[in-house]
Amino acid sequence: MGFIKAFTGALGGSFADQWKDFYMPPEGVPATAGLFAARPKGTNHGRGENTKGNDNIITSGSKIIVPEGTALITMEDGAITGLIAEPGGFIFQSEDANAQSIFTTEDPVGSLIQSTWDKFQFGGQAGAQQLAFYVNLKEIPNNRFGTQSEIYWDDAFFGTQVGAVTRGTYTLKIVDPLLFVKNFVPQKYLIQNAPAFDFGDMDNDAAEQLFNEVVGSLSAAFSNYTNDPSKGNRMSRIQGDQIGFAKSLTEAVEEGYQWKTERGLQIVKTAILAMEYDEDTKEMMKDVKRADALSGARGNSFMQQSVARGMQAAGENGGGANMAFMGMGMGAAGNVMGATQQPVNQNAGNQQPAEPAPQAQGGDPTEKLIQMKKLLDAGVVTEEEFNKMKAELLGL
């Protein structure tokens, strides 16, 4: 009792074209819909026993199209009786003992669904009438999250708590339609002529619950990401790493709310649209930028430019002469002062150094004191060093 496989793959071919009456998803289903009722397509021409064409009620002989990216679930009295998770055409037969209750694809998702089916032992004897629903297995976009005030998390790079206001979106995927329908979809979406279960519907309380759970998981998700050494422990990378942060967010919602193991839901990608850090975090990030700028070869270049700008500013302020002594020790300063006492050789042709003038052999103490006072005013020598040189020059 269940379904007989008529053909697999996309709708087409001579066999499929002969179907004048069959069920398929309704037109205009939004991309954010997670579950929606099957609808009859065409008019019955005696091919099957469903002569009334009731919305999402199939009977023995009804033909069903399962498009790519969807799964079909049948229910009776609130219990799941059958599931098809592979594309193709199928015929429901309640009398045929060879009919199957479940068809799944040969992939990890199919294996997960089969495991769930075996675990909960869905179905049993399918009756003559079944409600038929499609479950969206594609990525479901535009699921939003956002915080009204700062959230805080421990950050490994800074070694303290950081905080931010953030907002963004994520894509969601139903990886196990059985768990999704059994444990999460409210009953009002699982009856005849039910509305679509739309994650984007503002009046969908179940979807709003997911929003609240994601917001409640953001702090743990940021902590997971920034404390992962493989991510470089840099929260500045979160906005550009939609897959990596989605993984951290998936881990957080799974730990807190068991999205995958109990509801068959999983976050696939994220897009953080804005992050506004609190003032303390901004200041720490500025310090990191400065530290990064002063590291390695870039730092050497930066320091050279800073020194050049400083000397230029000193020259413009009349301090160029004093800046020339910056960085000199006491001995170097003395050498400079000694050099100022050497006369210049006016004879360009004479390669021998000129004899010092007799009166300059001992040097003029007053001139040396003037030079030393300039060095003291420029901050090149200390008060103690100036007094020591003054005592030596004056013979005190």
Side-chain angles (χ1 to χ4, degrees):
M1 292 65 173
F3 291 96
I4 299 173
K5 187 184 299 184
F7 64 90
T8 58
L11 177 62
S14 59
F15 182 71
D17 291 341
Q18 295 175 12
W19 285 10
K20 302 300 182 182
D21 314 300
F22 54 88
Y23 284 80
M24 67 181 302
E27 297 180 355
V29 176
T32 53
L35 178 138
F36 36 91
R39 294 287 185 265
K41 183 74 173 179
T43 305
N44 188 281
H45 290 280
R47 299 176 177 84
E49 299 178 15
N50 186 6
T51 58
K52 295 183 179 180
N54 293 323
D55 284 351
N56 77 307
I57 293 183
I58 62 172
T59 59
S60 187
S62 295
K63 300 174 180 66
I64 297 284
I65 298 295
V66 182
E68 291 276 1
T70 64
L72 179 82
I73 282 182
T74 57
M75 302 187 69
E76 183 179 12
D77 297 330
I80 298 173
T81 57
L83 180 136
I84 303 171
E86 59 182 281
F90 301 84
I91 302 173
F92 177 70
Q93 291 288 354
S94 60
E95 303 91 353
D96 193 337
N98 295 318
Q100 298 184 30
S101 296
I102 182 170
F103 288 91
T104 59
T105 55
E106 299 298 327
D107 60 15
V109 172
S111 300
L112 180 64
I113 295 171
Q114 181 69 58
S115 175
T116 303
W117 181 276
D118 295 339
K119 178 180 178 181
F120 290 100
Q121 294 297 307
F122 290 104
Q125 299 294 322
Q129 289 188 335
Q130 304 286 302
L131 292 176
F133 300 92
Y134 288 98
V135 178
N136 186 0
L137 299 183
K138 298 179 181 178
E139 280 188 51
I140 299 173
N142 297 328
N143 301 281
R144 302 181 182 278
F145 64 83
T147 61
Q148 295 182 344
S149 59
E150 289 88 352
I151 57 172
Y152 291 89
W153 66 93
D154 293 326
D155 188 275
F157 183 79
F158 291 111
T160 186
Q161 278 196 337
V162 296
V165 175
T166 183
R167 62 182 177 87
T169 63
Y170 64 92
T171 64
L172 183 68
K173 194 167 186 179
I174 301 170
V175 295
D176 192 327
L178 293 173
L179 290 178
F180 173 67
V181 172
K182 179 179 184 294
N183 295 337
F184 189 69
V185 178
Q187 183 61 32
K188 69 177 183 178
Y189 297 100
L190 301 174
I191 60 177
Q192 184 182 355
N193 299 323
F197 179 93
D198 190 351
F199 287 98
D201 184 0
M202 298 299 295
D203 295 325
N204 186 337
D205 293 337
E208 183 179 357
Q209 178 65 27
L210 294 183
F211 172 88
N212 293 332
E213 291 176 1
V214 167
V215 171
S217 302
L218 285 174
S219 179
F222 283 124
S223 182
N224 289 345
Y225 189 94
T226 58
N227 289 285
D228 183 352
S230 66
K231 303 295 190 303
N233 300 128
R234 291 295 185 95
M235 62 184 180
S236 57
R237 297 181 181 178
I238 293 177
Q239 289 181 266
D241 188 1
Q242 59 176 343
I243 302 296
F245 182 66
K247 181 180 178 182
S248 297
L249 186 56
T250 295
E251 293 173 355
V253 297
E254 180 64 22
E255 181 178 356
Y257 303 100
Q258 294 77 52
W259 275 28
K260 185 175 181 179
T261 54
E262 292 188 4
R263 299 171 177 173
L265 298 173
Q266 182 173 317
I267 293 173
V268 182
K269 297 183 182 72
T270 58
I272 296 180
L273 304 179
M275 284 191 71
E276 181 66 26
Y277 299 103
D278 67 5
E279 293 303 319
D280 291 339
T281 304
K282 286 180 181 178
E283 289 301 318
M284 288 190 291
M285 294 181 75
K286 287 180 181 179
D287 291 339
V288 170
K289 282 185 178 180
R290 295 186 187 103
D292 287 344
L294 294 174
S295 64
R298 185 193 308 168
N300 293 335
S301 175
F302 180 81
M303 290 299 295
Q304 291 172 3
Q305 295 175 20
S306 298
V307 171
R309 287 192 296 269
M311 294 188 69
Q312 179 182 358
E316 292 172 353
N317 294 327
N322 292 338
M323 286 296 296
F325 295 101
M326 293 297 292
M328 293 183 178
M330 190 69 192
N335 291 338
V336 170
M337 289 187 294
T340 61
Q341 305 303 317
Q342 301 295 330
V344 177
N345 183 7
Q346 301 297 327
N347 187 357
N350 185 0
Q351 299 300 319
Q352 298 297 323
E355 291 295 331
Q359 68 273 19
Q361 289 290 336
D364 185 353
T366 302
E367 183 66 25
K368 287 186 178 183
L369 280 175
I370 292 173
Q371 294 294 336
M372 283 298 299
K373 185 62 170 65
K374 290 181 179 180
L375 291 176
L376 175 64
D377 294 339
V380 176
V381 298
T382 65
E383 185 77 27
E384 181 181 357
E385 291 171 332
F386 173 76
N387 291 333
K388 181 179 178 180
M389 178 63 72
K390 176 180 177 181
E392 292 177 355
L393 292 173
L394 298 179
L396 300 177

